[in-house]
Amino acid sequence: MPGFELINNLEKKAVNKIFSEGAVFFAHGFNKLRKRFHVREFETISKKKMRSKFSLAVTSGTSATLIALKALGVKPGDEVITQSFNFIATVEAIIECGAKPVIVNIDDTLNMCPRDLKKAITKKTKAIVPVHMLGVSARMKEILKIAKDKKIPVLEDNCESMGAKYKKKYLGCVGDVGVVSYDYGKTITTGEGGMIFTNNKKIFKYCREYHDHGHELNPKYPRGMDTKSITGFNYRMTELQAAIGKVQIKKLDYIIKENKKRYENIFNKIKDSSLEFRQIPNNTDQIFDTLIFKCSNKSKRKKIVKLLNKKGFGTKNLPDAIKWHCAYYWDHALTSKQIKKLKKTKNLLETSIAIPIWLRKSVSSYKSLGKEILKIL
Ligand SMILES: Cc1ncc(COP(=O)(O)O)c(C=O)c1O
């Protein structure tokens, strides 16, 4: 259930307040005109919530991934390993660095398969990017061990699972660096936006400078005379987005709590059926954003999807947006040799259905939905 469902007067008031505080929309400077620094405040609230040493607000999850990869030193000629159930953005960020995306299959968690990861590592591997898809953690215990043994940094793409945990730590703060997305469909939203989390000062420093044309924010000088040592780009979040983000992040725990009620209502109804459910790794807490199962019978699968659409639940990525989330279909970005290796993922995802958990749908409606699915089975 995305945060957009909960947008109300609080977000409206937060944005309007900026107009009475001087209407400065830029994160830096204009000190005489303004009363607040919303981007800085949003970063501080977020890093406290996620229990991370550093956080940096940026324009999107995609730019967050690109900046984090750059901070890890990814360059042309390097390889970066990520997974086959994903969103194209991760692969685009790798390509944008001039590096080669290496895609490994998923396992029954529908996230990165640690065995495939191990086989894919070469001397050129510069980073590993597990992606916590649709509310559930990847097998971080195994992935972190492989990465540690091979001394390769881990960038967690947590764009889809903000609030989920591994060993009681928030995802995105488990590897060397992590990213979240605040786009309109995500757990919490600022319209467009993203954030980078890390406990590593050097990574943070690089990210902060890179996302702001190399500005070092040297306290000895005004911004116009600031020092610099790298070139970067402009991936800065605006004050308007941050004002909304500050309201939305307070709703995160409520979103997860409400998701869980709906998820459990449908799951408990259908868990003993012939459906094969997505595995949730041990020692992890999901955010109950989506319920995914495999239904191998084509005719029953079709009937379930039809029911979901008829009742206004729809599906989440599987099957409605499979071509943007299954790397098997990315022949514009990957070689045919790479794609051939991803048949396992295609078969797994093509036979799966992802049910979105919506707040606008009542808790009891998920129980009724479960009953109707049982009738089809
Ligand atoms: C797994 C994953 N990574 C990255 C992104 C990119 O995030 P954004 O839309 O904020 O650029 C998304 C967004 O859909 C995503 O789902």
Side-chain angles (χ1 to χ4, degrees):
M1 178 185 63
F4 78 79
E5 290 187 286
L6 293 180
I7 291 173
N8 57 23
N9 228 9
L10 294 175
E11 282 83 351
K12 192 173 167 185
K13 269 194 204 155
V15 171
N16 275 339
K17 213 163 164 242
I18 298 182
F19 291 86
S20 60
E21 290 168 351
V24 176
F25 304 147
F26 191 53
H28 304 277
F30 299 95
N31 294 14
K32 283 185 185 146
L33 294 179
R34 71 197 302 155
K35 295 198 171 91
R36 306 281 287 267
F37 287 86
H38 293 280
V39 172
R40 299 288 91 83
E41 287 178 26
F42 183 34
E43 287 168 345
T44 303
I45 294 168
S46 304
K47 75 180 175 192
K48 278 190 187 151
K49 172 80 188 156
M50 305 308 280
R51 303 192 291 270
S52 174
K53 258 193 197 158
F54 305 103
S55 63
L56 182 79
V58 294
T59 47
S60 68
T62 311
S63 61
T65 309
L66 172 69
I67 297 162
L69 287 171
K70 294 243 175 207
L72 295 177
V74 175
K75 290 186 191 62
D78 292 335
E79 291 176 358
V80 175
I81 302 177
T82 188
Q83 69 192 50
S84 51
F85 183 33
N86 201 334
F87 178 60
I88 187 71
T90 319
V91 166
E92 287 171 324
I94 296 166
I95 292 172
E96 198 61 23
C97 291
K100 179 184 167 192
V102 174
I103 315 293
V104 298
N105 274 297
I106 49 173
D107 63 14
D108 52 6
T109 64
L110 302 189
N111 286 324
M112 182 176 276
C113 171
R115 261 190 298 147
D116 269 29
L117 164 65
K118 208 169 178 181
K119 282 189 227 154
I121 292 172
T122 70
K123 282 192 178 131
K124 292 183 181 170
T125 308
K126 192 76 183 198
I128 297 169
V129 188
V131 186
H132 310 299
M133 287 295 283
L134 294 173
V136 172
S137 174
R139 292 194 190 279
M140 289 311 285
K141 183 179 165 208
E142 294 83 352
I143 292 169
L144 289 172
K145 178 159 186 340
I146 294 166
K148 194 176 169 198
D149 288 349
K150 299 280 179 185
K151 296 191 174 64
I152 301 168
V154 172
L155 157 57
E156 291 175 84
D157 178 336
N158 193 32
C159 287
E160 298 197 357
S161 304
M162 187 168 182
K165 293 176 189 161
Y166 164 72
K167 285 193 175 171
K168 305 294 168 203
K169 271 190 181 175
Y170 281 106
L171 294 181
C173 307
V174 172
D176 297 85
V177 56
V179 299
V180 297
S181 163
Y182 298 134
D183 81 23
Y184 199 61
K186 296 300 186 285
T187 320
I188 65 167
T189 183
T190 57
E192 294 280 7
M195 201 166 271
I196 302 172
F197 295 97
T198 182
N199 291 322
N200 181 315
K201 196 173 176 183
K202 209 170 140 205
I203 291 176
F204 172 68
K205 185 175 180 294
Y206 185 95
C207 291
R208 197 188 60 198
E209 289 168 17
Y210 188 83
H211 99 295
D212 184 22
H213 299 296
H215 270 282
E216 288 179 339
L217 303 182
N218 191 326
K220 285 191 208 150
Y221 304 101
R223 190 170 162 85
M225 289 295 176
D226 198 4
T227 49
K228 61 254 175 211
S229 55
I230 61 165
T231 59
F233 219 75
N234 175 3
Y235 293 114
R236 294 181 300 251
M237 182 179 268
T238 71
E239 294 289 278
L240 296 163
Q241 290 166 302
I244 293 171
K246 283 188 331 186
V247 177
Q248 281 266 308
I249 199 165
K250 285 193 193 136
K251 298 180 179 182
L252 181 62
D253 292 341
Y254 175 78
I255 288 171
I256 297 169
K257 194 176 87 188
E258 287 298 313
N259 279 354
K260 189 170 183 228
K261 288 185 206 164
R262 288 160 178 77
Y263 180 103
E264 285 183 344
N265 244 5
I266 181 167
F267 182 64
N268 288 334
K269 261 272 146 275
I270 60 177
K271 68 175 185 219
D272 298 322
S273 65
S274 58
L275 299 170
E276 291 169 53
F277 289 90
R278 176 186 199 180
Q279 291 299 304
I280 312 298
N282 290 338
N283 290 318
T284 66
D285 297 302
Q286 57 160 320
I287 57 168
F288 305 98
D289 170 77
T290 314
L291 174 64
I292 311 183
F293 52 77
K294 193 173 147 189
C295 175
S296 306
N297 182 304
K298 196 174 173 186
S299 140
K300 288 179 184 172
R301 200 165 64 239
K302 263 187 154 176
K303 282 185 188 158
I304 296 173
V305 171
K306 202 171 160 195
L307 170 75
L308 289 166
N309 288 333
K310 193 174 133 212
K311 296 272 172 192
F313 289 88
T315 57
K316 195 160 180 179
N317 302 347
L318 306 174
D320 59 286
I322 191 168
K323 298 217 167 149
W324 285 90
H325 294 87
C326 174
Y328 181 85
Y329 296 104
W330 299 346
D331 55 4
H332 64 307
L334 306 172
T335 64
S336 53
K337 198 174 155 199
Q338 283 180 301
I339 284 171
K340 261 191 206 151
K341 291 183 186 162
L342 304 176
K343 271 213 174 116
K344 181 187 158 197
T345 297
K346 176 184 171 264
N347 294 339
L348 203 49
L349 296 182
E350 256 183 5
T351 50
S352 294
I353 297 174
I355 301 182
I357 304 297
W358 299 107
L359 182 69
R360 65 179 155 84
K361 292 280 189 190
S362 68
V363 176
S364 62
S365 73
Y366 277 91
K367 200 170 192 170
S368 314
L369 180 62
K371 273 189 204 162
E372 299 211 37
I373 290 175
L374 279 184
K375 278 188 214 159
I376 294 172
L377 298 173

